[in-house]
Amino acid sequence: MSTSPYGGRLPNGLGLSVEPRPGAGLVSVALTVAVGGDADPAGLHGTAHLVEHLMFPRAAASDGPDGGHVARVEGAGGVCNAETHRDHTVFHTTVPAGMLTEVLEWEARRLLTFAPTESVLRTETSVIAEEIRGAAAAGGVWEAALAALHPGGRDAFGTAAELAGATTADVDAFFRRHYRPDAMVLSVVGEADPDRVAASVDRFFAGLPTGPAPAPASASTPAPAPARTAAPATIRTAPLPSPVSGAALGHPLPDPVHDRSGYLARVVLAETLGRTRLPRLTRRDPRIVSALVTCGYHGQWLGGTAPDLLLAQFATAPGTGPQAAADGWREVLTELAEHPADPAEHRRALNALLLACHRRADSLTARSVSLGRAALLFPTAPGPDALPGDLARVTPAEVSAAARALLSGPCSVTELTAPTALTAPTGIGEKR
């Protein structure tokens, strides 16, 4: 059995990455596709999300005694799931190592036989409509900040009313246009022989149809963040319901492809603020009950390309307007901008991030997803193994510079209103 990693592309363009881990007993397979919500056609917001769902159709009589894809995986003692992002979709499956060949065949089968029926389509649009309602109930804070800082930007969930009009022809055309082998990477991590995996993948996936690269989607493309001016642009959005009153403040992140060092400096900045500076703020300011800051799509830094966000969320005491949160946020940013973190504080933030990197590497599923994302989204950047070293090279001075950039750049402000406060908005959330 070969223990050397394999990376390359098959003759049909499908990317393949295999990372052997002898003795693991398990194997994880991730199929990453370079298409997400940004490619949704105009009037069909959520098509990428819908296609993701249609790759997991509910079992039908034609599936035979083993049921559909999920039933087959779970029947083999495994688990599978998928995520649709703004710029990619990833399907991941983890099973006992002895089932790898079967899983590869199943993965290829659902690509080769993609042909949803009208009844399956309607079932999945109903399921997605519930997910959309759930996301709205959760606040939609990240989505509001994205739309404010990047006009035209949309979440990948979709719009229930538009998806209700989707047809099998619509989703089939979308699938044929985007699910091409040259737009996919298959990553395998665990107890696997790279040579055997490559032979199996070549056999099962060789029949995937190829075609020309798709034309740009007719949906509006997110515009760049507002240009910096002498005074930072504060973009106020409509208020959002929340279990507790407060505010959310968003900032655009640098492009992780063209400004990786600037992006990682903000990752360290967010960790420093969340680990030490914001807790200090809540202790000294009774108006601020709690505060947290995340980097990347719902906290998944390096989980996508630009546009992406750094988001700070504050819960405030009853009767406190959102301005208190905005003032507190600028206060902690100014502190760090003017006085870099001391070595001990900086090291604690870095160590927490390095621990997160090591945990991702230890998880077969997370590792397979990371490899696929790196190959598709950041092909010119070093792979995931270079990330700990890149983070360790971020200096306190660079983190201070990142804080200054946030202070001088655009910022979205979204008031979060508790149920009892919905009838008495403060006015900070008026739409521009």
Side-chain angles (χ1 to χ4, degrees), residues 175-192:
F175 179 86
R176 305 298 168 196
R177 184 180 307 119
H178 295 286
Y179 278 64
R180 310 179 332 273
D182 61 306
M184 301 180 192
V185 169
L186 194 69
S187 31
V188 179
V189 178
E191 190 166 333

PDB file of all heavy atoms in Angstrom, residues 175-192:
ATOM      1  N   PHE A 175     -27.208  22.248 -13.411  1.00  0.00           N
ATOM      2  CA  PHE A 175     -26.312  21.140 -13.090  1.00  0.00           C
ATOM      3  C   PHE A 175     -25.368  20.861 -14.261  1.00  0.00           C
ATOM      4  O   PHE A 175     -24.147  20.730 -14.067  1.00  0.00           O
ATOM      5  CB  PHE A 175     -27.143  19.893 -12.769  1.00  0.00           C
ATOM      6  CG  PHE A 175     -26.325  18.676 -12.442  1.00  0.00           C
ATOM      7  CD1 PHE A 175     -25.876  18.448 -11.153  1.00  0.00           C
ATOM      8  CD2 PHE A 175     -26.000  17.756 -13.435  1.00  0.00           C
ATOM      9  CE1 PHE A 175     -25.110  17.330 -10.852  1.00  0.00           C
ATOM     10  CE2 PHE A 175     -25.255  16.631 -13.143  1.00  0.00           C
ATOM     11  CZ  PHE A 175     -24.803  16.426 -11.858  1.00  0.00           C
ATOM     12  N   ARG A 176     -25.879  20.775 -15.471  1.00  0.00           N
ATOM     13  CA  ARG A 176     -25.036  20.477 -16.626  1.00  0.00           C
ATOM     14  C   ARG A 176     -24.018  21.577 -16.870  1.00  0.00           C
ATOM     15  O   ARG A 176     -22.901  21.312 -17.314  1.00  0.00           O
ATOM     16  CB  ARG A 176     -25.897  20.305 -17.892  1.00  0.00           C
ATOM     17  CG  ARG A 176     -26.995  19.277 -17.783  1.00  0.00           C
ATOM     18  CD  ARG A 176     -26.490  17.877 -17.533  1.00  0.00           C
ATOM     19  NE  ARG A 176     -27.575  16.978 -17.147  1.00  0.00           N
ATOM     20  CZ  ARG A 176     -27.393  15.805 -16.578  1.00  0.00           C
ATOM     21  NH1 ARG A 176     -26.164  15.369 -16.336  1.00  0.00           N
ATOM     22  NH2 ARG A 176     -28.421  15.051 -16.239  1.00  0.00           N
ATOM     23  N   ARG A 177     -24.408  22.806 -16.565  1.00  0.00           N
ATOM     24  CA  ARG A 177     -23.519  23.941 -16.830  1.00  0.00           C
ATOM     25  C   ARG A 177     -22.363  23.989 -15.833  1.00  0.00           C
ATOM     26  O   ARG A 177     -21.234  24.320 -16.218  1.00  0.00           O
ATOM     27  CB  ARG A 177     -24.332  25.242 -16.754  1.00  0.00           C
ATOM     28  CG  ARG A 177     -23.524  26.500 -17.123  1.00  0.00           C
ATOM     29  CD  ARG A 177     -24.390  27.742 -17.026  1.00  0.00           C
ATOM     30  NE  ARG A 177     -25.620  27.607 -17.803  1.00  0.00           N
ATOM     31  CZ  ARG A 177     -26.836  27.657 -17.293  1.00  0.00           C
ATOM     32  NH1 ARG A 177     -27.015  27.837 -15.997  1.00  0.00           N
ATOM     33  NH2 ARG A 177     -27.902  27.535 -18.065  1.00  0.00           N
ATOM     34  N   HIS A 178     -22.640  23.640 -14.577  1.00  0.00           N
ATOM     35  CA  HIS A 178     -21.635  23.880 -13.534  1.00  0.00           C
ATOM     36  C   HIS A 178     -20.987  22.622 -12.973  1.00  0.00           C
ATOM     37  O   HIS A 178     -19.856  22.686 -12.474  1.00  0.00           O
ATOM     38  CB  HIS A 178     -22.274  24.669 -12.387  1.00  0.00           C
ATOM     39  CG  HIS A 178     -22.715  26.038 -12.785  1.00  0.00           C
ATOM     40  ND1 HIS A 178     -21.832  27.082 -12.995  1.00  0.00           N
ATOM     41  CD2 HIS A 178     -23.959  26.549 -13.035  1.00  0.00           C
ATOM     42  CE1 HIS A 178     -22.498  28.165 -13.335  1.00  0.00           C
ATOM     43  NE2 HIS A 178     -23.792  27.871 -13.364  1.00  0.00           N
ATOM     44  N   TYR A 179     -21.666  21.501 -12.973  1.00  0.00           N
ATOM     45  CA  TYR A 179     -21.103  20.289 -12.385  1.00  0.00           C
ATOM     46  C   TYR A 179     -20.280  19.541 -13.438  1.00  0.00           C
ATOM     47  O   TYR A 179     -20.591  18.423 -13.829  1.00  0.00           O
ATOM     48  CB  TYR A 179     -22.215  19.416 -11.803  1.00  0.00           C
ATOM     49  CG  TYR A 179     -22.647  19.854 -10.419  1.00  0.00           C
ATOM     50  CD1 TYR A 179     -23.233  21.099 -10.215  1.00  0.00           C
ATOM     51  CD2 TYR A 179     -22.470  19.033  -9.311  1.00  0.00           C
ATOM     52  CE1 TYR A 179     -23.625  21.516  -8.949  1.00  0.00           C
ATOM     53  CE2 TYR A 179     -22.862  19.431  -8.047  1.00  0.00           C
ATOM     54  CZ  TYR A 179     -23.436  20.677  -7.869  1.00  0.00           C
ATOM     55  OH  TYR A 179     -23.818  21.091  -6.606  1.00  0.00           O
ATOM     56  N   ARG A 180     -19.236  20.199 -13.897  1.00  0.00           N
ATOM     57  CA  ARG A 180     -18.313  19.630 -14.873  1.00  0.00           C
ATOM     58  C   ARG A 180     -17.078  19.111 -14.148  1.00  0.00           C
ATOM     59  O   ARG A 180     -16.676  19.660 -13.123  1.00  0.00           O
ATOM     60  CB  ARG A 180     -17.902  20.694 -15.895  1.00  0.00           C
ATOM     61  CG  ARG A 180     -19.058  21.446 -16.523  1.00  0.00           C
ATOM     62  CD  ARG A 180     -18.588  22.505 -17.511  1.00  0.00           C
ATOM     63  NE  ARG A 180     -17.288  23.042 -17.219  1.00  0.00           N
ATOM     64  CZ  ARG A 180     -17.055  24.079 -16.404  1.00  0.00           C
ATOM     65  NH1 ARG A 180     -18.063  24.669 -15.779  1.00  0.00           N
ATOM     66  NH2 ARG A 180     -15.837  24.520 -16.220  1.00  0.00           N
ATOM     67  N   PRO A 181     -16.424  18.070 -14.659  1.00  0.00           N
ATOM     68  CA  PRO A 181     -15.270  17.521 -13.944  1.00  0.00           C
ATOM     69  C   PRO A 181     -14.145  18.524 -13.734  1.00  0.00           C
ATOM     70  O   PRO A 181     -13.471  18.488 -12.695  1.00  0.00           O
ATOM     71  CB  PRO A 181     -14.830  16.341 -14.824  1.00  0.00           C
ATOM     72  CG  PRO A 181     -15.525  16.512 -16.131  1.00  0.00           C
ATOM     73  CD  PRO A 181     -16.767  17.275 -15.848  1.00  0.00           C
ATOM     74  N   ASP A 182     -13.950  19.435 -14.680  1.00  0.00           N
ATOM     75  CA  ASP A 182     -12.860  20.411 -14.504  1.00  0.00           C
ATOM     76  C   ASP A 182     -13.204  21.458 -13.456  1.00  0.00           C
ATOM     77  O   ASP A 182     -12.336  22.271 -13.091  1.00  0.00           O
ATOM     78  CB  ASP A 182     -12.542  21.090 -15.835  1.00  0.00           C
ATOM     79  CG  ASP A 182     -13.727  21.848 -16.405  1.00  0.00           C
ATOM     80  OD1 ASP A 182     -14.805  21.236 -16.558  1.00  0.00           O
ATOM     81  OD2 ASP A 182     -13.591  23.050 -16.674  1.00  0.00           O
ATOM     82  N   ALA A 183     -14.445  21.464 -12.967  1.00  0.00           N
ATOM     83  CA  ALA A 183     -14.853  22.392 -11.907  1.00  0.00           C
ATOM     84  C   ALA A 183     -15.029  21.670 -10.581  1.00  0.00           C
ATOM     85  O   ALA A 183     -15.666  22.190  -9.673  1.00  0.00           O
ATOM     86  CB  ALA A 183     -16.153  23.092 -12.295  1.00  0.00           C
ATOM     87  N   MET A 184     -14.464  20.466 -10.462  1.00  0.00           N
ATOM     88  CA  MET A 184     -14.617  19.665  -9.245  1.00  0.00           C
ATOM     89  C   MET A 184     -13.269  19.152  -8.769  1.00  0.00           C
ATOM     90  O   MET A 184     -12.346  18.930  -9.561  1.00  0.00           O
ATOM     91  CB  MET A 184     -15.510  18.448  -9.499  1.00  0.00           C
ATOM     92  CG  MET A 184     -16.898  18.720  -9.982  1.00  0.00           C
ATOM     93  SD  MET A 184     -17.762  17.131 -10.224  1.00  0.00           S
ATOM     94  CE  MET A 184     -19.200  17.672 -11.117  1.00  0.00           C
ATOM     95  N   VAL A 185     -13.195  18.966  -7.460  1.00  0.00           N
ATOM     96  CA  VAL A 185     -12.053  18.288  -6.845  1.00  0.00           C
ATOM     97  C   VAL A 185     -12.596  17.232  -5.899  1.00  0.00           C
ATOM     98  O   VAL A 185     -13.494  17.504  -5.091  1.00  0.00           O
ATOM     99  CB  VAL A 185     -11.147  19.263  -6.072  1.00  0.00           C
ATOM    100  CG1 VAL A 185     -10.121  18.504  -5.232  1.00  0.00           C
ATOM    101  CG2 VAL A 185     -10.433  20.211  -7.027  1.00  0.00           C
ATOM    102  N   LEU A 186     -12.071  16.025  -6.014  1.00  0.00           N
ATOM    103  CA  LEU A 186     -12.412  14.935  -5.118  1.00  0.00           C
ATOM    104  C   LEU A 186     -11.226  14.739  -4.180  1.00  0.00           C
ATOM    105  O   LEU A 186     -10.102  14.482  -4.632  1.00  0.00           O
ATOM    106  CB  LEU A 186     -12.673  13.660  -5.922  1.00  0.00           C
ATOM    107  CG  LEU A 186     -13.353  12.495  -5.202  1.00  0.00           C
ATOM    108  CD1 LEU A 186     -14.805  12.840  -4.887  1.00  0.00           C
ATOM    109  CD2 LEU A 186     -13.290  11.235  -6.052  1.00  0.00           C
ATOM    110  N   SER A 187     -11.443  14.902  -2.884  1.00  0.00           N
ATOM    111  CA  SER A 187     -10.363  14.738  -1.911  1.00  0.00           C
ATOM    112  C   SER A 187     -10.700  13.589  -0.980  1.00  0.00           C
ATOM    113  O   SER A 187     -11.815  13.492  -0.461  1.00  0.00           O
ATOM    114  CB  SER A 187     -10.104  16.028  -1.136  1.00  0.00           C
ATOM    115  OG  SER A 187     -11.250  16.791  -0.962  1.00  0.00           O
ATOM    116  N   VAL A 188      -9.706  12.724  -0.763  1.00  0.00           N
ATOM    117  CA  VAL A 188      -9.869  11.518   0.037  1.00  0.00           C
ATOM    118  C   VAL A 188      -8.800  11.521   1.127  1.00  0.00           C
ATOM    119  O   VAL A 188      -7.614  11.655   0.839  1.00  0.00           O
ATOM    120  CB  VAL A 188      -9.720  10.248  -0.834  1.00  0.00           C
ATOM    121  CG1 VAL A 188      -9.868   8.994   0.016  1.00  0.00           C
ATOM    122  CG2 VAL A 188     -10.731  10.257  -1.978  1.00  0.00           C
ATOM    123  N   VAL A 189      -9.238  11.390   2.382  1.00  0.00           N
ATOM    124  CA  VAL A 189      -8.325  11.386   3.515  1.00  0.00           C
ATOM    125  C   VAL A 189      -8.658  10.205   4.411  1.00  0.00           C
ATOM    126  O   VAL A 189      -9.830   9.992   4.755  1.00  0.00           O
ATOM    127  CB  VAL A 189      -8.413  12.700   4.320  1.00  0.00           C
ATOM    128  CG1 VAL A 189      -7.482  12.662   5.535  1.00  0.00           C
ATOM    129  CG2 VAL A 189      -8.085  13.901   3.451  1.00  0.00           C
ATOM    130  N   GLY A 190      -7.656   9.432   4.784  1.00  0.00           N
ATOM    131  CA  GLY A 190      -7.879   8.309   5.691  1.00  0.00           C
ATOM    132  C   GLY A 190      -7.110   7.088   5.256  1.00  0.00           C
ATOM    133  O   GLY A 190      -6.080   7.178   4.573  1.00  0.00           O
ATOM    134  N   GLU A 191      -7.608   5.940   5.633  1.00  0.00           N
ATOM    135  CA  GLU A 191      -6.938   4.689   5.296  1.00  0.00           C
ATOM    136  C   GLU A 191      -7.249   4.342   3.844  1.00  0.00           C
ATOM    137  O   GLU A 191      -8.249   3.680   3.543  1.00  0.00           O
ATOM    138  CB  GLU A 191      -7.395   3.567   6.235  1.00  0.00           C
ATOM    139  CG  GLU A 191      -6.568   2.304   6.100  1.00  0.00           C
ATOM    140  CD  GLU A 191      -6.803   1.332   7.239  1.00  0.00           C
ATOM    141  OE1 GLU A 191      -7.171   1.775   8.343  1.00  0.00           O
ATOM    142  OE2 GLU A 191      -6.594   0.132   7.022  1.00  0.00           O
ATOM    143  N   ALA A 192      -6.382   4.806   2.965  1.00  0.00           N
ATOM    144  CA  ALA A 192      -6.626   4.660   1.531  1.00  0.00           C
ATOM    145  C   ALA A 192      -5.302   4.572   0.801  1.00  0.00           C
ATOM    146  O   ALA A 192      -4.332   5.253   1.161  1.00  0.00           O
ATOM    147  CB  ALA A 192      -7.434   5.845   1.004  1.00  0.00           C
TER     148      ALA A 192
END
